[in-house]
Amino acid sequence: MAASMDGRLVLLTCLLVAPLLLAGGVHGHPWGGLFPQFYDHSCPQAKEIVKSIVAQAVARETRMAASLVRLHFHDCFVQGCDASILLDNSTGIVSEKGSNPNRNSARGFEVIDEIKVALEHACPGTVSCADILALAARDSTLLVGGPYWDVPLGRRDSLGASIQGSNNDIPAPNNTLPTIITKFRRQGLDVVDVVALSGAHTIGLSRCTSFRQRLYNQTGNGMADFTLDASYAAHLRQGCPRSGGDDNLFPLDLATPTKFDNYYFKNLLVGKGLLSSDEVLLTKSAETAALVKAYAADVNFFFQHFAQSMVKMGNVSPLTGAQGEVRKNCRRLNGNHY
Ligand code: HEM
Ligand SMILES: *[C@@H]1O[C@H](CO)[C@@H](O)[C@H](O)[C@H]1NC(C)=O
Ligand SMILES: *[C@@H]1O[C@H](CO)[C@@H](O)[C@H](O)[C@H]1NC(C)=O
Ligand SMILES: *[C@@H]1O[C@H](CO)[C@@H](O)[C@H](O)[C@H]1NC(C)=O
């Protein structure tokens, strides 16, 4: 009798405690405290909800897939993947949305809001905005033909933003290759991550202002970037004049602009990378050039590395446990009711 009582007690305790452990984070896990099953008990519908709203948004506008992938990147490079990029201006917060890399450029915030509203309805106060960004980036990639990966989850949301971090830590399109590599290294990311993740430029658009320098005055001697294919440069000049037209849009991958594939790397091989930061991967280092050639030759090799590097980027300095908070509205702190 006593033995059977004990057995039931043990069973009961396990049933009660196991979900708490799963929801609260388990130590010794391979992804720095994050793991894909984080919401399996606390919000089992979370992944489906994100996926369906991302799918609707991408069906409305294909470019949204690219914009959502980029949001996760611009989040992770500034004080870690903590949804700091989503905060609007308010008392004590200068929004990262106004930084050089993000101003008139970062987009997709309304889609994240839509996902957050649906998740707050299904599981109030449970799924972080930082995890929404990570899941939306994965779902977006898959929707336009890219690879799938399991997204480690359990990030919490920041209590602040850093516009200086956004200005300084996110690479600029006219940075040299050593500067780009240094900015990735600062995040714990290596040269393979630089090349594989740059492959995200297989989708999406860039404004004229982000590559104009290449067309007219690359090194300050009044000459175009000689690594840029001449006829492609002539085509670009038509829509990107010396002055004006700053916001005119061009595909980052001119061959297959809306499909996640390896044409971005094939373009680099023929001088048709749009940004200077793209073309330098081929022209400025043997190590990065070898990766460009390998990804151009084998799309599955690129997909494998891209998926691995996205998980790595998604694990940059997450807030976990009792750090930060789970925002109810991704645009503001829970304590902020202005
Ligand atoms: C290696 C350094 C990188 C530089 C210098 C860079 C720079 C840029 C620039 C200048 C644009 C165009 C912005 C505009 O004109 O509005 C852009 C777009 C984009 N970037 Fe990057 N990027 C880099 C790495 C990455 C990474 C790591 C990812 C994601 C994993 C990424 C994803 C994207 C996407 C998807 C777009 C298109 C966004 C849209 O159409 O809304 N980029 N990037
Ligand atoms: C936030 O406020 C600052 C001034 O305090 C302003 O320069 C910036 O444009 C604002 N950012 C956004 C995204 O509205
Ligand atoms: C890079 O572009 C920025 C913004 O257009 C400009 O201020 C800066 O001088 C450029 N840097 C180089 C090295 O060309
Ligand atoms: C090219 O850039 C340099 C340095 O930024 C500047 O001094 C020069 O006037 C520019 N030349 C042209 C033709 O725009």
Side-chain angles (χ1 to χ4, degrees), residues 28 142 149 281 289 294:
L142 192 63
W149 61 92
L281 298 175

Side-chain angles (χ1 to χ4, degrees), residues 100 123 143 153 164 186 199 211 241 243 336:
N100 295 324
C123 330
L143 275 164
L153 297 166
Q164 295 92 338
R186 241 184 250 159
F211 58 85
S243 72
N336 212 330

Side-chain angles (χ1 to χ4, degrees), residues 217 220 222 242:
N217 198 358
R242 274 179 191 277

Side-chain angles (χ1 to χ4, degrees), residues 69-264:
V69 170
R70 187 169 185 238
L71 273 190
H72 182 44
F73 161 49
H74 283 201
D75 179 32
C76 292
F77 269 55
V78 183
Q79 54 181 42
C81 310
D82 62 355
S84 57
I85 191 175
L86 301 179
L87 290 171
D88 284 339
N89 270 349
S90 72
T91 338
I93 288 175
V94 181
S95 175
E96 293 171 18
K97 296 175 187 181
S99 72
N100 295 324
N102 291 336
R103 192 172 358 101
N104 301 324
S105 183
R107 56 200 297 284
F109 299 108
E110 295 76 15
V111 176
I112 302 300
D113 290 339
E114 203 187 323
I115 295 168
K116 187 62 190 179
V117 167
L119 285 171
E120 284 303 298
H121 185 75
C123 330
T126 304
V127 182
S128 69
C129 300
D131 280 344
I132 294 173
L133 286 171
L135 286 168
R138 189 276 311 277
D139 291 335
S140 293
T141 300
L142 192 63
L143 275 164
V144 293
Y148 173 89
W149 61 92
D150 276 324
V151 181
L153 297 166
R155 298 168 191 80
R156 289 167 64 85
D157 300 325
S158 75
L159 300 174
S162 173
I163 189 166
Q164 295 92 338
S166 189
N167 280 322
N168 298 331
D169 299 344
I170 296 172
N174 64 352
N175 279 162
T176 63
L177 183 58
T179 298
I180 292 169
I181 290 172
T182 300
K183 288 181 176 180
F184 272 70
R185 209 161 261 150
R186 241 184 250 159
Q187 311 291 341
L189 300 173
D190 60 24
V191 168
V192 173
D193 301 315
V194 170
V195 183
L197 291 174
S198 291
H201 291 173
T202 178
I203 52 173
L205 305 175
S206 167
R207 292 162 306 150
C208 156
T209 190
S210 300
F211 58 85
R212 173 185 285 120
Q213 190 181 348
R214 299 189 76 197
L215 305 179
Y216 302 104
N217 198 358
Q218 171 71 352
T219 51
N221 64 356
M223 303 283 283
D225 182 345
F226 70 91
T227 68
L228 186 61
D229 173 85
S231 66
Y232 182 45
H235 162 76
L236 293 173
R237 278 187 210 102
Q238 285 175 9
C240 187
R242 274 179 191 277
S243 72
D246 283 16
D247 293 335
N248 292 353
L249 294 172
F250 291 79
L252 285 156
D253 166 7
L254 83 165
T256 54
T258 60
K259 197 168 161 20
F260 199 104
D261 55 21
N262 64 341
Y263 273 82
Y264 166 79

